[in-house]
Amino acid sequence: MPRSRTAMRRLTRIAVTTTCAAALAVTQAAQAHAASRTVNFNYSHLWLTPEFKTGGGAVHFTVKKCSDPNRDMTVLLRATDGINADVGSRTIKCRAGAKAVIGDGLKRGTFELELGKLDDNTYFKGTATYSFTAPK
């Protein structure tokens, strides 16, 4: 009897360990992976980021530095697969730390950001980062 009881305990431990490992693998595989890009912008009218694919969810845009921190800039998110469609836009100050979050509940697809300005005779030069959920 002691041998079979010991064997049952070991089998139970193995079963519990295997179940926990499988559950951990499933939850880690289901997590979203974030991607981010740093860009240097330099424009007097409009500037477009390269196209990027998302797995869905909002796109976060953050200014790292800007040549004219007291001026307003626009950040527009545009879907580019199929017919180009504007998803949403935000107006922010072109200063370090300014953030725009666009597209809550966004479906997966291909997008680009368009940076613009509200003031004529203004020239923007700086660095920004945008992040999004990477497609699986």
Side-chain angles (χ1 to χ4, degrees):
M1 255 339 216
R3 285 186 165 216
S4 67
R5 204 178 275 179
T6 304
M8 287 302 287
R9 284 186 195 155
R10 284 188 182 158
L11 282 175
T12 303
R13 285 185 194 146
I14 291 171
V16 169
T17 304
T18 304
T19 303
C20 288
L24 183 61
V26 167
T27 58
Q28 286 184 346
Q31 290 178 349
H33 299 284
S36 68
R37 308 282 185 269
T38 299
V39 291
N40 295 314
F41 56 86
N42 189 352
Y43 67 98
S44 61
H45 181 60
L46 294 174
W47 188 85
L48 296 172
T49 64
E51 289 184 344
F52 55 95
K53 293 184 185 235
T54 73
V59 175
H60 300 258
F61 179 86
T62 305
V63 177
K64 297 298 180 187
K65 73 178 183 182
C66 184
S67 61
D68 199 346
N70 294 322
R71 300 280 186 179
D72 289 333
M73 68 187 297
T74 59
V75 182
L76 179 126
L77 181 65
R78 179 179 294 124
T80 58
D81 46 348
I83 298 173
N84 287 359
D86 295 346
V87 175
S89 67
R90 300 286 181 270
T91 301
I92 59 174
K93 291 287 184 189
C94 188
R95 69 169 58 118
K99 295 180 182 185
V101 178
I102 307 170
D104 274 341
L106 200 61
K107 301 217 184 290
R108 48 186 352 198
T110 305
F111 299 89
E112 68 185 4
L113 288 168
E114 177 184 288
L115 305 182
K117 61 186 187 55
L118 300 175
D119 301 326
D120 287 336
N121 303 320
T122 306
Y123 181 79
F124 285 149
K125 182 178 181 180
T127 306
T129 300
Y130 58 97
S131 59
F132 51 91
T133 303
K136 294 179 184 176

